Short mmCIF file of all heavy atoms in Angstrom, two decimals:
data_model
loop_
_atom_site.label_atom_id
_atom_site.label_comp_id
_atom_site.label_asym_id
_atom_site.label_seq_id
_atom_site.Cartn_x
_atom_site.Cartn_y
_atom_site.Cartn_z
N PHE A 1 8.78 9.89 -4.00
CA PHE A 1 9.56 9.09 -4.95
C PHE A 1 8.64 8.72 -6.07
O PHE A 1 9.10 8.77 -7.24
CB PHE A 1 10.06 7.79 -4.28
CG PHE A 1 11.29 8.03 -3.38
CD1 PHE A 1 11.23 7.75 -2.08
CD2 PHE A 1 12.47 8.35 -4.05
CE1 PHE A 1 12.37 7.96 -1.28
CE2 PHE A 1 13.63 8.52 -3.22
CZ PHE A 1 13.54 8.34 -1.84
N GLY A 2 7.42 8.29 -5.88
CA GLY A 2 6.51 7.91 -6.92
C GLY A 2 6.07 8.99 -7.86
O GLY A 2 5.55 8.79 -8.92
N ARG A 3 6.19 10.25 -7.39
CA ARG A 3 5.78 11.42 -8.25
C ARG A 3 6.97 12.04 -8.97
O ARG A 3 6.79 12.94 -9.75
CB ARG A 3 5.09 12.46 -7.36
CG ARG A 3 3.75 11.97 -6.75
CD ARG A 3 3.01 13.12 -6.04
NE ARG A 3 3.72 13.58 -4.85
CZ ARG A 3 3.69 13.10 -3.61
NH1 ARG A 3 2.96 12.03 -3.38
NH2 ARG A 3 4.32 13.66 -2.66
N ASP A 4 8.17 11.58 -8.65
CA ASP A 4 9.42 12.19 -9.24
C ASP A 4 9.80 11.79 -10.60
O ASP A 4 10.17 12.62 -11.49
CB ASP A 4 10.56 12.01 -8.24
CG ASP A 4 11.79 12.63 -8.74
OD1 ASP A 4 11.87 13.87 -8.86
OD2 ASP A 4 12.74 11.92 -9.14
N PHE A 5 9.77 10.42 -10.86
CA PHE A 5 10.41 9.97 -12.08
C PHE A 5 9.53 10.18 -13.29
O PHE A 5 8.38 10.42 -13.31
CB PHE A 5 10.68 8.42 -11.86
CG PHE A 5 9.36 7.67 -11.69
CD1 PHE A 5 8.60 7.31 -12.70
CD2 PHE A 5 9.01 7.28 -10.37
CE1 PHE A 5 7.36 6.56 -12.51
CE2 PHE A 5 7.90 6.59 -10.16
CZ PHE A 5 7.03 6.24 -11.17
N ASP A 6 10.32 10.14 -14.37
CA ASP A 6 9.67 10.20 -15.81
C ASP A 6 9.28 8.84 -16.28
O ASP A 6 8.29 8.67 -16.93
CB ASP A 6 10.61 10.89 -16.77
CG ASP A 6 10.95 12.26 -16.45
OD1 ASP A 6 10.02 12.99 -16.01
OD2 ASP A 6 12.12 12.68 -16.58
N SER A 7 10.12 7.85 -16.01
CA SER A 7 9.87 6.42 -16.33
C SER A 7 10.34 5.56 -15.23
O SER A 7 11.31 5.87 -14.60
CB SER A 7 10.53 5.99 -17.70
OG SER A 7 10.11 6.85 -18.72
N MET A 8 9.63 4.42 -15.04
CA MET A 8 9.97 3.48 -14.02
C MET A 8 9.96 2.11 -14.49
O MET A 8 9.10 1.69 -15.26
CB MET A 8 9.03 3.63 -12.86
CG MET A 8 9.24 2.64 -11.75
SD MET A 8 7.95 2.79 -10.47
CE MET A 8 8.10 1.19 -9.69
N MET A 9 10.99 1.32 -14.11
CA MET A 9 10.90 -0.18 -14.32
C MET A 9 10.91 -0.76 -12.90
O MET A 9 11.73 -0.52 -12.05
CB MET A 9 12.22 -0.64 -14.98
CG MET A 9 12.23 -0.54 -16.42
SD MET A 9 13.68 -1.30 -17.34
CE MET A 9 14.70 -1.71 -16.06
N GLY A 10 9.89 -1.55 -12.70
CA GLY A 10 9.78 -2.34 -11.44
C GLY A 10 10.07 -3.79 -11.60
O GLY A 10 9.51 -4.39 -12.47
N ILE A 11 11.00 -4.23 -10.78
CA ILE A 11 11.36 -5.74 -10.84
C ILE A 11 10.84 -6.36 -9.55
O ILE A 11 11.26 -5.89 -8.48
CB ILE A 11 12.91 -5.97 -11.00
CG1 ILE A 11 13.37 -5.32 -12.33
CG2 ILE A 11 13.15 -7.46 -11.00
CD1 ILE A 11 14.90 -5.39 -12.43
N GLU A 12 10.04 -7.35 -9.70
CA GLU A 12 9.53 -8.12 -8.52
C GLU A 12 9.83 -9.60 -8.68
O GLU A 12 9.45 -10.22 -9.68
CB GLU A 12 8.03 -7.96 -8.44
CG GLU A 12 7.59 -6.53 -8.14
CD GLU A 12 6.11 -6.32 -8.03
OE1 GLU A 12 5.58 -6.76 -7.05
OE2 GLU A 12 5.58 -5.86 -8.98
N TRP A 13 10.65 -10.08 -7.82
CA TRP A 13 11.16 -11.55 -7.92
C TRP A 13 10.25 -12.36 -7.06
O TRP A 13 9.72 -11.91 -5.99
CB TRP A 13 12.58 -11.57 -7.40
CG TRP A 13 13.61 -10.89 -8.28
CD1 TRP A 13 14.24 -9.81 -7.90
CD2 TRP A 13 13.99 -11.22 -9.51
NE1 TRP A 13 15.02 -9.39 -8.91
CE2 TRP A 13 14.90 -10.26 -9.94
CE3 TRP A 13 13.65 -12.21 -10.42
CZ2 TRP A 13 15.51 -10.25 -11.20
CZ3 TRP A 13 14.23 -12.27 -11.71
CH2 TRP A 13 15.16 -11.24 -12.06
N GLN A 14 10.04 -13.57 -7.50
CA GLN A 14 9.30 -14.54 -6.63
C GLN A 14 10.28 -14.90 -5.42
O GLN A 14 11.46 -14.65 -5.49
CB GLN A 14 9.08 -15.86 -7.38
CG GLN A 14 8.06 -15.75 -8.45
CD GLN A 14 7.89 -17.07 -9.20
OE1 GLN A 14 8.67 -18.06 -8.98
NE2 GLN A 14 6.82 -17.18 -10.03
N GLU A 15 9.68 -15.35 -4.39
CA GLU A 15 10.44 -15.76 -3.24
C GLU A 15 11.38 -16.89 -3.66
O GLU A 15 10.96 -17.76 -4.51
CB GLU A 15 9.58 -16.28 -2.09
CG GLU A 15 8.67 -15.24 -1.53
CD GLU A 15 9.39 -14.20 -0.87
OE1 GLU A 15 10.48 -14.47 -0.19
OE2 GLU A 15 9.04 -12.92 -1.01
N PRO A 16 12.59 -16.94 -3.20
CA PRO A 16 13.61 -17.99 -3.57
C PRO A 16 13.01 -19.33 -3.35
O PRO A 16 13.33 -20.25 -4.05
CB PRO A 16 14.80 -17.74 -2.72
CG PRO A 16 14.72 -16.29 -2.32
CD PRO A 16 13.23 -15.94 -2.34
N SER A 17 12.15 -19.58 -2.39
CA SER A 17 11.54 -20.84 -2.13
C SER A 17 10.60 -21.23 -3.24
O SER A 17 10.22 -22.48 -3.34
CB SER A 17 10.84 -20.87 -0.81
OG SER A 17 9.76 -19.96 -0.87
N GLN A 18 10.22 -20.28 -4.09
CA GLN A 18 9.28 -20.62 -5.23
C GLN A 18 9.95 -20.74 -6.59
O GLN A 18 9.40 -20.52 -7.62
CB GLN A 18 8.32 -19.52 -5.28
CG GLN A 18 7.32 -19.41 -4.08
CD GLN A 18 6.46 -18.16 -4.10
OE1 GLN A 18 6.59 -17.31 -4.91
NE2 GLN A 18 5.44 -18.17 -3.27
N LYS A 19 11.26 -21.08 -6.62
CA LYS A 19 11.98 -21.20 -7.75
C LYS A 19 11.31 -22.23 -8.72
O LYS A 19 10.75 -23.27 -8.25
CB LYS A 19 13.37 -21.65 -7.57
CG LYS A 19 14.33 -20.59 -6.94
CD LYS A 19 15.75 -21.02 -6.88
CE LYS A 19 16.58 -19.97 -6.30
NZ LYS A 19 18.00 -20.46 -6.18
N GLY A 20 11.34 -21.88 -10.00
CA GLY A 20 10.61 -22.69 -10.96
C GLY A 20 11.26 -24.05 -11.12
O GLY A 20 12.30 -24.40 -10.55
N VAL A 21 10.81 -24.74 -12.12
CA VAL A 21 11.31 -26.08 -12.48
C VAL A 21 12.74 -26.06 -12.81
O VAL A 21 13.56 -26.94 -12.49
CB VAL A 21 10.50 -26.66 -13.65
CG1 VAL A 21 11.07 -28.03 -14.14
CG2 VAL A 21 9.06 -26.82 -13.35
N THR A 22 13.22 -24.93 -13.39
CA THR A 22 14.60 -24.76 -13.83
C THR A 22 15.59 -24.49 -12.72
O THR A 22 16.77 -24.59 -12.84
CB THR A 22 14.76 -23.62 -14.87
OG1 THR A 22 14.44 -22.41 -14.25
CG2 THR A 22 13.88 -23.93 -16.08
N GLY A 23 15.01 -24.18 -11.55
CA GLY A 23 15.86 -23.72 -10.40
C GLY A 23 16.32 -22.29 -10.51
O GLY A 23 17.00 -21.85 -9.57
N HIS A 24 15.91 -21.56 -11.55
CA HIS A 24 16.26 -20.16 -11.65
C HIS A 24 15.08 -19.36 -11.01
O HIS A 24 14.00 -19.74 -10.85
CB HIS A 24 16.39 -19.77 -13.13
CG HIS A 24 17.46 -20.46 -13.93
ND1 HIS A 24 18.82 -20.30 -13.60
CD2 HIS A 24 17.38 -21.36 -14.81
CE1 HIS A 24 19.53 -21.03 -14.43
NE2 HIS A 24 18.75 -21.71 -15.14
N LEU A 25 15.50 -18.14 -10.58
CA LEU A 25 14.64 -17.28 -9.99
C LEU A 25 13.81 -16.48 -11.02
O LEU A 25 14.33 -15.84 -11.92
CB LEU A 25 15.38 -16.20 -9.10
CG LEU A 25 14.60 -15.39 -8.17
CD1 LEU A 25 13.83 -16.20 -7.18
CD2 LEU A 25 15.49 -14.45 -7.34
N ASP A 26 12.43 -16.60 -10.88
CA ASP A 26 11.52 -16.00 -11.96
C ASP A 26 10.98 -14.67 -11.35
O ASP A 26 10.83 -14.53 -10.11
CB ASP A 26 10.42 -16.94 -12.26
CG ASP A 26 10.87 -18.06 -13.07
OD1 ASP A 26 11.81 -18.01 -13.92
OD2 ASP A 26 10.34 -19.22 -12.87
N GLY A 27 10.61 -13.77 -12.16
CA GLY A 27 10.00 -12.51 -11.77
C GLY A 27 9.25 -11.82 -12.88
O GLY A 27 8.98 -12.35 -13.91
N ASN A 28 8.86 -10.62 -12.55
CA ASN A 28 8.01 -9.82 -13.45
C ASN A 28 8.69 -8.37 -13.50
O ASN A 28 9.10 -7.87 -12.56
CB ASN A 28 6.61 -9.62 -12.83
CG ASN A 28 5.68 -9.03 -13.80
OD1 ASN A 28 5.58 -9.46 -14.94
ND2 ASN A 28 5.10 -7.93 -13.38
N LEU A 29 8.74 -7.90 -14.71
CA LEU A 29 9.26 -6.53 -15.04
C LEU A 29 8.12 -5.75 -15.46
O LEU A 29 7.41 -6.03 -16.49
CB LEU A 29 10.32 -6.70 -16.06
CG LEU A 29 11.07 -5.38 -16.49
CD1 LEU A 29 11.76 -4.68 -15.30
CD2 LEU A 29 12.04 -5.73 -17.56
N SER A 30 7.85 -4.67 -14.78
CA SER A 30 6.72 -3.75 -15.12
C SER A 30 7.24 -2.39 -15.43
O SER A 30 8.35 -2.01 -14.92
CB SER A 30 5.62 -3.69 -14.00
OG SER A 30 6.17 -3.25 -12.79
N PHE A 31 6.42 -1.60 -16.12
CA PHE A 31 6.90 -0.32 -16.54
C PHE A 31 5.81 0.78 -16.37
O PHE A 31 4.62 0.51 -16.43
CB PHE A 31 7.15 -0.31 -18.06
CG PHE A 31 8.09 -1.35 -18.48
CD1 PHE A 31 7.71 -2.66 -18.82
CD2 PHE A 31 9.46 -1.05 -18.61
CE1 PHE A 31 8.62 -3.62 -19.22
CE2 PHE A 31 10.39 -2.01 -19.07
CZ PHE A 31 9.94 -3.30 -19.34
#
């Protein structure tokens, strides 16, 4: 799988228990 794609977007969410001050789920988008 890791050798197949031309481009990749990876989304990693924080654990729901670590919701920020806003109560929304925060994460990181990597490319």
Side-chain angles (χ1 to χ4, degrees):
F1 282 114
R3 294 187 297 274
D4 180 65
F5 59 82
D6 295 320
S7 298
M8 174 186 162
M9 276 187 352
I11 300 176
E12 297 180 74
W13 297 109
Q14 290 179 349
E15 294 296 320
S17 62
Q18 298 174 343
K19 286 185 179 179
V21 175
T22 63
H24 297 292
L25 192 58
D26 292 322
N28 188 56
L29 181 60
S30 60
F31 304 89

